[in-house]
Amino acid sequence: VVAVNESRTERTFNDRYGTGQSALDGILRATNLLLAGRTLVLFGYGATGKGIAQRARGAGATVIVCEVDPLRALEARMDAFEVMPALEAAERGDLFVTVTGSRGVLRREHFERMRDGAVLANAGHFDVEIDLDELRELAGGRVRQVLPLVEEYDFGGRQVHLLASGRVVNLAAGEGHPAAVMDMSFANLALAVEHLKLHGPELENRVLDVPKEIDEEIARLKLESLGVEIDSLTPDQREYLSSWGASSSD
Ligand SMILES: NC(=O)c1ccc[n+]([C@@H]2O[C@H](COP(=O)([O-])OP(=O)(O)OC[C@H]3O[C@@H](n4cnc5c(N)ncnc54)[C@H](O)[C@@H]3O)[C@@H](O)[C@H]2O)c1
Protein backbone atom coordinates (compact mmCIF):
# COMPACT_ATOMS: atom_id res chain seq x y z
CA VAL A 1 0.00 0.00 0.00
CA VAL A 2 1.34 3.44 -0.91
CA ALA A 3 0.05 6.45 1.04
CA VAL A 4 -0.27 8.78 -1.95
CA ASN A 5 -2.15 11.35 0.13
CA GLU A 6 1.00 12.02 2.16
CA SER A 7 3.37 12.81 -0.72
CA ARG A 8 4.58 16.39 -0.87
CA THR A 9 3.25 17.02 -4.37
CA GLU A 10 -0.18 15.80 -3.23
CA ARG A 11 -0.51 17.24 0.26
CA THR A 12 0.99 20.67 -0.26
CA PHE A 13 -0.51 21.42 -3.63
CA ASN A 14 -3.83 19.60 -3.67
CA ASP A 15 -4.77 20.67 -0.14
CA ARG A 16 -3.33 24.17 0.06
CA TYR A 17 -3.90 25.37 -3.47
CA GLY A 18 -6.66 23.03 -4.67
CA THR A 19 -8.94 23.13 -1.63
CA GLY A 20 -7.82 26.62 -0.73
CA GLN A 21 -9.15 27.98 -4.00
CA SER A 22 -12.05 25.64 -4.67
CA ALA A 23 -13.61 25.96 -1.20
CA LEU A 24 -13.82 29.73 -1.63
CA ASP A 25 -15.00 29.25 -5.21
CA GLY A 26 -17.88 27.03 -3.99
CA ILE A 27 -18.83 29.59 -1.35
CA LEU A 28 -18.80 32.45 -3.85
CA ARG A 29 -20.78 30.53 -6.46
CA ALA A 30 -23.44 29.67 -3.89
CA THR A 31 -23.72 33.18 -2.45
CA ASN A 32 -22.02 35.77 -4.69
CA LEU A 33 -20.62 37.24 -1.46
CA LEU A 34 -17.98 39.94 -1.59
CA LEU A 35 -15.09 38.71 0.56
CA ALA A 36 -13.37 42.08 0.75
CA GLY A 37 -14.17 43.76 4.03
CA ARG A 38 -15.77 40.64 5.54
CA THR A 39 -14.55 38.59 8.48
CA LEU A 40 -14.03 34.91 7.76
CA VAL A 41 -13.67 32.60 10.74
CA LEU A 42 -11.74 29.48 9.83
CA PHE A 43 -11.82 26.33 11.94
CA GLY A 44 -8.69 24.22 11.46
CA TYR A 45 -5.32 25.55 10.31
CA GLY A 46 -4.16 22.30 8.73
CA ALA A 47 -3.00 21.62 5.21
CA THR A 48 -6.34 22.70 3.76
CA GLY A 49 -7.17 25.45 6.23
CA LYS A 50 -3.93 27.27 5.46
CA GLY A 51 -4.90 27.51 1.79
CA ILE A 52 -8.35 28.87 2.57
CA ALA A 53 -6.93 31.41 5.04
CA GLN A 54 -4.31 32.70 2.61
CA ARG A 55 -6.70 33.03 -0.28
CA ALA A 56 -9.42 34.70 1.78
CA ARG A 57 -6.89 37.22 3.03
CA GLY A 58 -5.77 37.81 -0.56
CA ALA A 59 -9.37 38.60 -1.48
CA GLY A 60 -9.56 41.25 1.23
CA ALA A 61 -11.20 39.37 4.09
CA THR A 62 -10.08 39.59 7.70
CA VAL A 63 -9.35 36.02 8.74
CA ILE A 64 -9.73 34.69 12.26
CA VAL A 65 -8.37 31.20 12.94
CA CYS A 66 -9.79 28.87 15.59
CA GLU A 67 -7.55 25.92 16.45
CA VAL A 68 -7.16 23.30 19.17
CA ASP A 69 -3.52 22.44 18.39
CA PRO A 70 -1.15 24.96 20.03
CA LEU A 71 1.50 24.56 17.31
CA ARG A 72 -0.96 25.19 14.50
CA ALA A 73 -2.48 28.10 16.44
CA LEU A 74 0.97 29.62 16.89
CA GLU A 75 1.72 29.13 13.20
CA ALA A 76 -1.53 30.92 12.31
CA ARG A 77 -0.69 33.79 14.64
CA MET A 78 2.81 34.13 13.19
CA ASP A 79 1.28 34.04 9.71
CA ALA A 80 -0.44 37.22 10.93
CA PHE A 81 -3.97 35.86 11.35
CA GLU A 82 -6.06 36.61 14.40
CA VAL A 83 -6.39 33.55 16.63
CA MET A 84 -9.04 33.20 19.31
CA PRO A 85 -11.50 30.74 20.89
CA ALA A 86 -14.56 29.85 18.86
CA LEU A 87 -17.00 31.47 21.30
CA GLU A 88 -15.28 34.81 20.84
CA ALA A 89 -14.95 34.42 17.07
CA ALA A 90 -18.64 33.47 16.79
CA GLU A 91 -19.58 37.08 17.56
CA ARG A 92 -17.16 38.49 14.99
CA GLY A 93 -17.63 36.40 11.85
CA ASP A 94 -19.60 37.12 8.70
CA LEU A 95 -18.56 33.79 7.16
CA PHE A 96 -17.62 30.60 9.04
CA VAL A 97 -15.70 27.77 7.36
CA THR A 98 -14.93 24.45 9.03
CA VAL A 99 -12.12 22.25 7.76
CA THR A 100 -11.04 20.12 10.71
CA GLY A 101 -12.08 16.52 9.99
CA SER A 102 -13.92 16.55 13.35
CA ARG A 103 -17.59 16.90 14.30
CA GLY A 104 -19.73 19.40 16.16
CA VAL A 105 -17.12 22.10 15.52
CA LEU A 106 -19.84 24.72 15.02
CA ARG A 107 -22.71 24.10 17.42
CA ARG A 108 -25.53 25.69 19.39
CA GLU A 109 -23.33 27.85 21.67
CA HIS A 110 -21.74 29.37 18.56
CA PHE A 111 -24.96 29.75 16.55
CA GLU A 112 -26.49 31.62 19.50
CA ARG A 113 -23.76 34.27 19.36
CA MET A 114 -23.65 34.78 15.60
CA ARG A 115 -24.59 37.99 13.88
CA ASP A 116 -27.65 38.29 11.70
CA GLY A 117 -26.78 37.16 8.18
CA ALA A 118 -23.83 34.93 9.12
CA VAL A 119 -22.96 32.32 6.49
CA LEU A 120 -21.84 28.78 7.40
CA ALA A 121 -19.87 26.47 5.13
CA ASN A 122 -17.95 23.24 5.59
CA ALA A 123 -14.91 22.17 3.56
CA GLY A 124 -14.05 19.07 5.63
CA HIS A 125 -15.00 15.78 4.04
CA PHE A 126 -18.13 14.96 6.07
CA ASP A 127 -21.27 16.88 6.87
CA VAL A 128 -20.79 16.58 10.64
CA GLU A 129 -18.56 19.60 11.29
CA ILE A 130 -21.58 21.89 11.59
CA ASP A 131 -24.11 20.45 14.04
CA LEU A 132 -27.19 20.43 11.83
CA ASP A 133 -29.51 18.98 14.51
CA GLU A 134 -28.76 21.88 16.83
CA LEU A 135 -29.15 24.35 13.98
CA ARG A 136 -32.61 22.91 13.17
CA GLU A 137 -33.59 22.86 16.85
CA LEU A 138 -32.68 26.53 17.26
CA ALA A 139 -34.67 27.49 14.16
CA GLY A 140 -37.65 25.44 15.35
CA GLY A 141 -38.86 24.75 11.81
CA ARG A 142 -38.24 28.28 10.49
CA VAL A 143 -36.04 27.12 7.64
CA ARG A 144 -36.37 28.18 4.03
CA GLN A 145 -34.40 27.74 0.86
CA VAL A 146 -33.34 31.21 -0.26
CA LEU A 147 -31.00 30.20 -3.11
CA PRO A 148 -30.39 26.77 -4.66
CA LEU A 149 -27.53 26.00 -2.25
CA VAL A 150 -28.42 28.35 0.60
CA GLU A 151 -30.80 27.53 3.47
CA GLU A 152 -31.86 30.26 5.84
CA TYR A 153 -32.30 29.32 9.50
CA ASP A 154 -34.36 31.88 11.38
CA PHE A 155 -33.64 32.13 15.11
CA GLY A 156 -36.54 34.52 15.72
CA GLY A 157 -35.58 37.68 13.87
CA ARG A 158 -31.92 36.74 13.33
CA GLN A 159 -30.96 34.53 10.41
CA VAL A 160 -27.94 32.42 9.56
CA HIS A 161 -27.36 30.84 6.17
CA LEU A 162 -26.14 27.31 5.67
CA LEU A 163 -24.43 26.41 2.39
CA ALA A 164 -24.82 23.07 0.60
CA SER A 165 -26.52 21.45 3.63
CA GLY A 166 -23.16 21.44 5.43
CA ARG A 167 -21.64 19.11 2.82
CA VAL A 168 -18.14 19.61 1.47
CA VAL A 169 -18.65 22.98 -0.17
CA ASN A 170 -16.15 22.83 -3.02
CA LEU A 171 -17.77 19.66 -4.34
CA ALA A 172 -21.40 20.44 -3.49
CA ALA A 173 -21.39 24.06 -4.66
CA GLY A 174 -18.42 24.12 -7.05
CA GLU A 175 -16.57 21.85 -9.41
CA GLY A 176 -13.96 20.56 -6.97
CA HIS A 177 -10.28 21.12 -7.52
CA PRO A 178 -9.03 22.55 -10.80
CA ALA A 179 -7.48 20.05 -13.22
CA ALA A 180 -4.22 21.98 -12.95
CA VAL A 181 -3.74 20.64 -9.42
CA MET A 182 -5.42 17.25 -9.82
CA ASP A 183 -2.80 16.48 -12.50
CA MET A 184 -0.21 16.11 -9.73
CA SER A 185 -2.53 13.99 -7.58
CA PHE A 186 -3.26 11.63 -10.48
CA ALA A 187 0.44 11.51 -11.40
CA ASN A 188 1.11 10.36 -7.84
CA LEU A 189 -1.50 7.61 -8.17
CA ALA A 190 -0.29 6.46 -11.58
CA LEU A 191 3.40 6.48 -10.68
CA ALA A 192 2.75 4.77 -7.34
CA VAL A 193 0.92 1.97 -9.18
CA GLU A 194 3.82 1.69 -11.62
CA HIS A 195 6.24 1.56 -8.68
CA LEU A 196 4.25 -1.29 -7.12
CA LYS A 197 4.17 -3.12 -10.44
CA LEU A 198 7.92 -2.74 -11.02
CA HIS A 199 9.18 -3.21 -7.46
CA GLY A 200 6.35 -5.04 -5.65
CA PRO A 201 8.32 -8.19 -4.81
CA GLU A 202 11.16 -6.21 -3.17
CA LEU A 203 8.92 -3.95 -1.09
CA GLU A 204 8.14 -4.37 2.60
CA ASN A 205 4.65 -5.51 3.50
CA ARG A 206 3.43 -2.23 5.07
CA VAL A 207 2.05 1.20 4.18
CA LEU A 208 4.81 2.95 2.23
CA ASP A 209 5.50 6.56 1.37
CA VAL A 210 5.61 7.65 -2.24
CA PRO A 211 9.33 7.41 -3.10
CA LYS A 212 11.06 10.78 -2.96
CA GLU A 213 12.24 10.37 -6.56
CA ILE A 214 8.63 10.12 -7.76
CA ASP A 215 7.60 13.17 -5.73
CA GLU A 216 10.52 15.15 -7.15
CA GLU A 217 9.88 13.97 -10.70
CA ILE A 218 6.24 15.15 -10.49
CA ALA A 219 7.35 18.55 -9.18
CA ARG A 220 10.00 18.75 -11.92
CA LEU A 221 7.44 17.99 -14.63
CA LYS A 222 4.99 20.49 -13.18
CA LEU A 223 7.66 23.18 -13.14
CA GLU A 224 8.50 22.34 -16.75
CA SER A 225 4.85 22.65 -17.73
CA LEU A 226 4.82 26.10 -16.11
CA GLY A 227 7.97 27.10 -17.99
CA VAL A 228 9.95 27.44 -14.77
CA GLU A 229 13.61 26.45 -14.57
CA ILE A 230 15.58 26.03 -11.35
CA ASP A 231 19.20 25.53 -10.32
CA SER A 232 20.91 22.30 -9.27
CA LEU A 233 23.46 21.81 -6.52
CA THR A 234 27.04 22.16 -7.68
CA PRO A 235 29.20 19.01 -7.16
CA ASP A 236 30.94 20.88 -4.32
CA GLN A 237 27.62 21.74 -2.62
CA ARG A 238 26.40 18.17 -3.04
CA GLU A 239 29.55 16.82 -1.41
CA TYR A 240 29.33 19.39 1.41
CA LEU A 241 25.69 18.61 2.17
CA SER A 242 26.16 14.84 2.02
CA SER A 243 29.14 15.10 4.38
CA TRP A 244 26.66 16.46 6.97
CA GLY A 245 24.18 13.69 6.21
CA ALA A 246 21.66 16.40 5.34
CA SER A 247 18.96 15.98 2.75
CA SER A 248 19.10 18.48 -0.08
CA SER A 249 15.34 19.03 -0.30
CA ASP A 250 13.99 19.08 3.26
N1 LIG B 1 -12.75 19.89 0.52
C1 LIG B 1 -11.76 19.16 0.02
O1 LIG B 1 -11.62 19.00 -1.18
C2 LIG B 1 -10.77 18.57 0.96
C3 LIG B 1 -9.46 18.31 0.53
C4 LIG B 1 -8.55 17.79 1.46
C5 LIG B 1 -8.98 17.50 2.75
N2 LIG B 1 -10.27 17.73 3.10
C6 LIG B 1 -10.79 17.44 4.44
O2 LIG B 1 -10.52 18.57 5.26
C7 LIG B 1 -10.39 18.14 6.62
C8 LIG B 1 -9.06 18.65 7.17
O3 LIG B 1 -8.01 18.11 6.40
P1 LIG B 1 -6.50 18.56 6.65
O4 LIG B 1 -5.68 17.75 5.72
O5 LIG B 1 -6.38 20.05 6.62
O6 LIG B 1 -6.30 18.03 8.13
P2 LIG B 1 -5.22 18.45 9.19
O7 LIG B 1 -5.21 17.37 10.20
O8 LIG B 1 -3.94 18.87 8.51
O9 LIG B 1 -5.84 19.78 9.85
C9 LIG B 1 -7.00 19.80 10.61
C10 LIG B 1 -6.79 20.86 11.71
O10 LIG B 1 -8.03 21.03 12.41
C11 LIG B 1 -7.74 21.23 13.78
N3 LIG B 1 -8.93 20.94 14.56
C12 LIG B 1 -9.44 19.73 14.91
N4 LIG B 1 -10.56 19.88 15.64
C13 LIG B 1 -10.75 21.22 15.76
C14 LIG B 1 -11.74 22.01 16.39
N5 LIG B 1 -12.76 21.45 17.05
N6 LIG B 1 -11.64 23.35 16.31
C15 LIG B 1 -10.61 23.93 15.66
N7 LIG B 1 -9.64 23.24 15.03
C16 LIG B 1 -9.71 21.89 15.08
C17 LIG B 1 -6.57 20.30 14.03
O11 LIG B 1 -5.85 20.69 15.20
C18 LIG B 1 -5.75 20.45 12.76
O12 LIG B 1 -4.78 21.48 12.86
C19 LIG B 1 -10.51 16.60 6.57
O13 LIG B 1 -11.84 16.26 6.83
C20 LIG B 1 -10.15 16.27 5.14
O14 LIG B 1 -10.72 15.05 4.73
C21 LIG B 1 -11.16 18.29 2.24
Side-chain angles (χ1 to χ4, degrees):
V1 175
V2 183
V4 164
N5 199 48
E6 298 306 322
S7 80
R8 292 171 78 197
T9 45
E10 156 71 34
R11 195 131 175 85
T12 305
F13 300 96
N14 186 303
D15 293 0
R16 192 189 304 165
Y17 302 101
T19 315
Q21 177 173 302
S22 66
L24 291 180
D25 176 50
I27 291 167
L28 299 183
R29 287 189 200 211
T31 59
N32 199 21
L33 264 181
L34 179 70
L35 285 174
R38 301 291 170 99
T39 299
L40 182 151
V41 180
L42 176 76
F43 290 80
Y45 198 66
T48 47
K50 284 179 186 134
I52 296 172
Q54 285 173 2
R55 266 137 205 80
R57 174 158 64 191
T62 297
V63 178
I64 297 175
V65 172
C66 299
E67 251 296 345
V68 292
D69 175 333
L71 286 161
R72 290 267 170 88
L74 182 60
E75 202 180 349
R77 187 67 196 105
M78 291 209 178
D79 284 343
F81 295 109
E82 289 190 59
V83 176
M84 64 183 71
L87 280 179
E88 218 175 294
E91 294 173 1
R92 298 261 316 268
D94 300 303
L95 171 60
F96 294 82
V97 182
T98 55
V99 65
T100 69
S102 188
R103 70 174 178 193
V105 176
L106 273 177
R107 49 187 185 269
R108 175 184 276 267
E109 59 188 354
H110 308 121
F111 305 142
E112 283 173 343
R113 286 172 170 75
M114 285 177 185
R115 293 185 194 169
D116 184 31
V119 173
L120 318 180
N122 168 49
H125 261 133
F126 302 102
D127 62 350
V128 294
E129 299 216 15
I130 300 171
D131 191 324
L132 301 178
D133 290 339
E134 292 193 348
L135 196 55
R136 281 187 209 105
E137 254 173 58
L138 265 177
R142 292 180 301 269
V143 183
R144 63 185 188 116
Q145 197 80 34
V146 289
L147 284 169
L149 289 157
V150 185
E151 278 171 328
E152 180 188 86
Y153 287 74
D154 188 333
F155 303 159
R158 196 167 47 87
Q159 288 106 22
V160 305
H161 297 107
L162 175 70
L163 305 192
S165 308
R167 299 200 178 90
V168 58
V169 73
N170 54 335
L171 301 179
E175 292 178 45
H177 295 166
V181 77
M182 291 312 296
D183 55 2
M184 284 193 282
S185 302
F186 295 141
N188 268 284
L189 289 166
L191 294 176
V193 169
E194 185 189 51
H195 179 70
L196 289 177
K197 169 89 175 110
L198 294 177
H199 303 288
E202 311 134 41
L203 298 175
E204 279 180 63
N205 189 11
R206 63 180 176 84
V207 179
L208 302 160
D209 289 330
V210 171
K212 193 167 167 235
E213 300 71 43
I214 292 183
D215 223 359
E216 287 181 348
E217 173 66 358
I218 294 169
R220 199 189 60 71
L221 289 168
K222 186 70 184 177
L223 281 170
E224 195 179 305
S225 79
L226 294 170
V228 177
E229 293 179 21
I230 60 167
D231 295 313
S232 308
L233 292 171
T234 64
D236 179 59
Q237 288 166 342
R238 195 177 298 281
E239 189 196 324
Y240 175 72
L241 290 172
S242 62
S243 73
W244 285 95
S247 152
S248 60
S249 59
D250 283 344

